[in-house]
């Protein structure tokens, strides 16, 4: 059975070789616009394994995502989504349907997270970070916070791929901005690697091997007003 990747933009099927290969072939794909790819694709390999492939990323600080999560070694199933920089691919293999291979839970689900503890009530306009695998909601009660594995950070995330001081999130006027603090570290927003950018409500941010969602205070106010309006209409 031949396995394919599917380039979403053009719906182009690309057959994969039945031998070990790297993802360097992606640089040869003709697209309508230029996509920035992850670095060192010669170190990302596809190895045949039981009617499918094992994808292994040997770049410790690469921005390659599988199903929107960082993973250095994964057995691919049908419909797996691969983010290779700005290029999005879908793996096609009907022989190995999604869910047919047991995958251990992503290690970021076990990461201990320590955030700022408010001393009093949190204002309604305060943005909130919700980390993947945790019910804990961390409010941004300061105008500047840092995230990293060191105990000196405002939010401490223990992970093998989280730097001592990885990113900072700070207020700019009425908006919030995230900035990667070290060029060799990986920070992505909605699957795309960033150096810095303004955050929007619902943005999914990956810091090393930990993922969280940004919920803006503005969105919370809008939701409250909407609920009050709907209640008033019913009355």
């Amino acid at each position: 059975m031949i396995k394919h990747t599917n380039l979403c933009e053009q719906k182009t099927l690309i057959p994969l070789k039945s031998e070990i290969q790297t993802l360097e072939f992606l640089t040869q794909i003709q697209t309508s616009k230029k996509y920035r790819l992850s670095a060192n694709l010669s170190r990302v390999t596809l190895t045949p394994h039981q009617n499918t492939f094992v994808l292994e990323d040997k770049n410790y600080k690469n921005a390659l995502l599988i199903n929107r999560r960082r993973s250095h070694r994964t057995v691919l199933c049908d419909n797996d989504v691969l983010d290779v920089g700005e290029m999005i691919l879908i793996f096609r293999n009907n022989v190995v349907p999604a869910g047919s291979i047991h995958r251990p839970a992503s290690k970021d689900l076990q990461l201990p997270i320590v955030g700022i503890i408010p001393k009093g009530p949190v204002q309604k306009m305060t943005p909130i970070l919700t980390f993947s695998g945790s019910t804990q909601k961390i409010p941004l009660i300061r105008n500047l916070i840092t995230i990293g594995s060191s105990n000196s950070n405002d939010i401490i995330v223990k992970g093998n791929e989280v730097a001592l001081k990885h990113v900072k999130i700070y207020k700019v006027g009425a908006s919030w901005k995230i900035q990667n603090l070290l060029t060799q570290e990986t920070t992505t927003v909605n699957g795309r690697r960033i150096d810095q950018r303004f955050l929007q409500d619902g943005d999914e941010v990956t810091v090393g091997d930990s993922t969280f969602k940004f919920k803006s205070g503005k969105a919370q106010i809008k939701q409250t007003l909407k609920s009050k309006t709907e209640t008033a209409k019913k009355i």
Side-chain angles (χ1 to χ4, degrees):
M1 187 71 179
I2 298 177
K3 294 86 182 175
H4 301 81
T5 50
N6 185 0
L7 185 61
C8 296
E9 181 201 42
Q10 299 179 329
K11 304 298 181 185
T12 302
L13 289 175
I14 307 163
L16 299 180
K17 300 177 182 178
S18 58
E19 58 197 50
I20 298 176
Q21 62 183 309
T22 70
L23 290 190
E24 278 190 303
F25 70 87
L26 295 179
T27 61
Q28 305 301 319
I29 296 176
Q30 298 297 316
T31 56
S32 61
K33 71 172 188 176
K34 184 70 174 179
Y35 290 95
R36 181 174 58 83
L37 298 173
S38 300
N40 301 321
L41 290 180
S42 62
R43 293 179 58 80
V44 184
T45 59
L46 285 166
T47 304
H49 174 76
Q50 296 181 0
N51 295 320
T52 183
F53 287 87
V54 173
L55 186 145
E56 186 170 8
D57 181 6
K58 299 178 182 178
N59 295 295
Y60 184 69
K61 298 298 181 184
N62 211 1
L64 187 138
L65 305 176
I66 301 171
N67 296 326
R68 306 305 160 117
R69 293 184 180 276
R70 282 182 62 93
S71 179
H72 290 297
R73 192 174 189 276
T74 298
V75 180
L76 295 174
C77 295
D78 188 42
N79 284 328
D80 277 348
V81 178
L82 282 65
D83 287 84
V84 187
E86 294 180 339
M87 185 178 285
I88 301 175
L89 304 164
I90 298 178
F91 180 76
R92 298 295 192 190
N93 182 3
N94 294 329
V95 176
V96 185
S100 62
I101 294 176
H102 173 70
R103 289 168 171 165
S106 179
K107 61 183 177 181
D108 67 336
L109 299 180
Q110 287 81 43
L111 292 177
I113 299 166
V114 179
I116 310 166
I117 301 175
K119 293 182 179 180
V122 177
Q123 296 180 359
K124 291 183 179 179
M125 286 287 287
T126 303
I128 292 173
L129 303 183
T130 303
F131 280 78
S132 176
S134 172
T135 57
Q136 182 183 11
K137 295 182 178 180
I138 301 176
L140 302 183
I141 58 177
R142 299 175 185 168
N143 289 337
L144 186 152
I145 66 140
T146 59
I147 301 176
S149 60
S150 168
N151 292 339
S152 64
N153 291 283
D154 301 297
I155 298 178
I156 305 164
V157 181
K158 300 296 184 181
N160 293 331
E161 297 176 20
V162 180
L164 293 176
K165 188 164 286 189
H166 202 114
V167 300
K168 68 178 181 180
I169 298 176
Y170 57 100
K171 195 172 184 180
V172 180
S175 301
W176 288 82
K177 197 170 189 178
I178 185 169
Q179 180 178 342
N180 200 38
L181 294 177
L182 297 172
T183 55
Q184 70 269 28
E185 304 300 343
T186 297
T187 301
T188 68
V189 177
N190 301 325
R192 294 191 175 185
R193 188 168 185 165
I194 60 100
D195 292 320
Q196 58 181 323
R197 63 165 281 175
F198 283 99
L199 289 170
Q200 304 294 327
D201 181 60
D203 277 349
E204 187 173 85
V205 181
T206 299
V207 175
D209 48 9
S210 182
T211 301
F212 64 84
K213 280 195 174 183
F214 173 80
K215 190 72 174 177
S216 72
K218 295 177 183 178
Q220 296 176 62
I221 291 294
K222 288 181 181 179
Q223 183 61 40
T224 301
L225 292 174
K226 181 180 178 182
S227 299
K228 289 182 177 179
T229 303
E230 291 176 349
T231 302
K233 289 180 179 180
K234 290 179 181 179
I235 295 174

